[in-house]
Amino acid sequence: MNSLPIISLSNLDRDSSNEGEINKLYRACYEYGFFYLNEHGISQAAVDNAIKVSRKFFELPEAVKLNYRQEIQKVYPKTSRGYIPFSGEFLNQETGFDSKEVFDLGLEKPRSEKPFTGPTIIPDETVSPGFATTHFYLQNEIMTKVVPKLLKAIALALGLEKTWFNEYFTEPILIQRSIYYPAGIGRAGKHTDGGIFTVLIQEYFSNPSLRVYAKEAWIDATCMKDAFVINLGDMLQFWTKGLFVSTPHEVIHNTSASRISIPFFVYPNIDTIIQPFGTEEKISSQEMMLKNFESIWETYEGAGRAKELK
């Protein structure tokens, strides 16, 4: 099979046993760590609007965008929020700094000493009309209509109670990105994601840019209309002791038009203690997240398991 599996969120939500869609989900998580998610309940208008306002923001003068750069953000680490200019992020040593621009935001909370928690300094309506409101609307849609159902389904696929993850997601951490890949040269180096899973919204192009390494081969993740891409992260792979896989991937965008991607990186409560199934080993979600951010932004070893990838 040279394409990713397709899973229906609607069917997952109706399937309370390890039959049907839940069984398909198990195979997708075990064999690929990547799959398309359709019948997800998010309107195309919400998606299209987020892509539109993202492109408008990235078209602003660089001097304006830099008013929202990481250095002036109020969340720790500052590298988890705000604007990242072209060639500002390092995901893999082989490719170096990525040919892209990014804006990171998260769940809006009061200022806090907890990592990855607090408000985002984000353009208001006078600077980038609709940017904040549209992204926060889409964020709420994803976090209320997709994430809880997917967590329940993953629990069932693992043979657990459907509410097993609930206690770890009372105050989840979210890193939501708007990414601009310029025409012809857009790039994100090979890496794995660090969280539980990522919900990726790709702007539709007939030519794929996302490539996934699954079953010992690179697969083009062709855009599917009305479908998101879901990929599992290192945290879930660790938690399941490697049963569900966090899959390497990269972006090579070489078409003649720019492209917007909007991923939602989903993490549990920052104080979650993760104990791989059947072991005595333990590590906190906070420690895993901070180590990954250090690897990207300080030591330049790359994102996730990037240093293992060639």
Side-chain angles (χ1 to χ4, degrees), residues 137-167:
Y137 175 80
L138 182 59
Q139 176 188 106
N140 183 67
E141 290 283 279
I142 295 292
M143 294 302 289
T144 58
K145 294 181 178 180
V146 176
V147 171
K149 293 177 181 178
L150 200 48
L151 285 170
K152 181 187 79 170
I154 289 172
L156 290 172
L158 288 166
L160 305 168
E161 292 294 323
K162 65 181 180 181
T163 57
W164 193 86
F165 283 108
N166 287 9
E167 65 178 294

Side-chain angles (χ1 to χ4, degrees), residues 185-201:
I185 58 170
R187 188 73 190 261
K190 297 170 185 171
H191 66 285
T192 57
D193 290 351
I196 298 295
F197 58 75
T198 303
V199 180
L200 172 64
I201 296 173

